[in-house]
Amino acid sequence: MIHAYDKNYLSKAQTNLATMFDFAVYDVKEDITDFFQKFLQSKISSQFERGEASVLVGKSGVELAIEIFDNEKLATKYQPALNKSPEYWCGWALAYFQWFTNLSFQKINDLIPIHEVLALYSPYHEMDISQFCNKMLELYSSRKRFTNLKIYRLNADLSQSELAGITGISVRTIQQYEQNQKNICAAKAESVIKLAKALSCSVEDLMEIN
């Protein structure tokens, strides 16, 4: 599996998202769902999931939250927490899952809303992070209706036959990828590159998490 960014940034990324959530909920008194929507709509979200150092290690979680709220006066509200809150754990765990899967925060939220991630606090905060990831993958896979290949093909308004004609890949093979009868992650690089080029997306966009 291709991770979102260099693992050296992961620990700081987890701390930043965790602190953002905790600060927004307990110091600013913002509902976590409302704050997460603001986060998703901000440029910080895409910078974070791409692993930009300026966001992951260049600023604190509180500074990032203040930037999302676009209100520097909120800095006076910050009160360092003595104990880690459920919201802190939620951000910490979600940052790890995003890094691990290389899914965008939006794609995760589309199928697993943030309040459901928070609801996993008990019992998963007492477990290894891998068990949280396994649960998230189970939820994500059970709710995802189409493979990424099919989603991008439909968005491009192409039939399977048309995509086959453009790429030189047989209709049957495309069908097998779209129905998960064949694992596109194990396909020849040349084939996936042809599909990505035809669908105007990246190779990573077509990969499925396992």
Side-chain angles (χ1 to χ4, degrees):
M1 182 178 291
I2 300 173
H3 299 311
Y5 46 83
D6 192 306
K7 192 175 183 179
N8 289 330
Y9 292 150
L10 177 58
S11 178
K12 185 61 165 63
Q14 288 180 272
T15 299
N16 271 359
L17 196 62
T19 305
M20 271 196 274
F21 282 9
D22 189 84
F23 173 73
V25 172
Y26 291 97
D27 295 321
V28 184
K29 310 302 182 186
E30 180 91 349
D31 179 80
I32 192 169
T33 299
D34 293 339
F35 174 71
F36 196 57
Q37 283 301 318
K38 288 183 174 71
F39 171 68
L40 292 176
Q41 292 163 8
S42 72
K43 64 180 181 180
I44 290 174
S45 176
S46 60
Q47 291 171 333
F48 196 107
E49 62 200 23
R50 291 197 305 267
E52 290 193 14
S54 61
V55 169
L56 297 191
V57 299
K59 297 179 181 178
S60 70
V62 171
E63 288 174 319
L64 293 173
I66 289 171
E67 190 172 329
I68 290 167
F69 283 119
D70 193 23
N71 185 349
E72 293 183 0
K73 294 180 180 179
L74 293 177
T76 61
K77 293 181 176 291
Y78 178 53
Q79 297 290 330
L82 297 177
N83 299 304
K84 299 295 190 292
S85 67
E87 287 78 8
Y88 184 98
W89 172 85
C90 180
W92 179 86
L94 182 60
Y96 185 96
F97 183 71
Q98 189 278 321
W99 168 82
F100 181 74
T101 60
N102 198 19
L103 291 168
S104 69
F105 286 110
Q106 185 64 64
K107 284 184 178 179
I108 296 170
N109 192 63
D110 286 343
L111 298 185
I112 314 173
I114 193 64
H115 69 270
E116 287 192 35
V117 181
L118 179 59
L120 294 175
Y121 173 77
S122 182
Y124 288 94
H125 76 287
E126 297 180 335
M127 300 181 183
D128 185 83
I129 190 64
S130 63
Q131 292 177 280
F132 166 76
C133 285
N134 288 340
K135 180 61 178 179
M136 289 285 285
L137 288 169
E138 176 188 326
L139 291 172
Y140 188 88
S141 298
S142 68
R143 298 173 184 183
K144 190 167 183 283
R145 292 179 57 202
F146 301 133
T147 60
N148 293 329
L149 176 60
K150 185 170 184 176
I151 291 169
Y152 278 95
R153 178 178 63 78
L154 293 175
N155 287 343
D157 198 23
L158 292 173
S159 68
Q160 291 176 337
S161 296
E162 288 171 330
L163 182 57
I166 295 169
T167 61
I169 299 170
S170 71
V171 172
R172 179 57 182 153
T173 297
I174 291 173
Q175 289 173 340
Q176 288 174 322
Y177 288 147
E178 290 193 354
Q179 295 167 10
N180 267 329
Q181 294 175 356
K182 276 189 174 182
N183 184 0
I184 196 168
C185 297
K188 291 182 180 179
E190 180 183 3
S191 297
V192 185
I193 290 170
K194 286 180 179 179
L195 289 168
K197 185 175 181 180
L199 298 173
S200 299
C201 65
S202 70
V203 168
E204 288 79 9
D205 287 334
L206 299 179
M207 297 295 102
E208 298 291 334
I209 59 174
N210 298 309

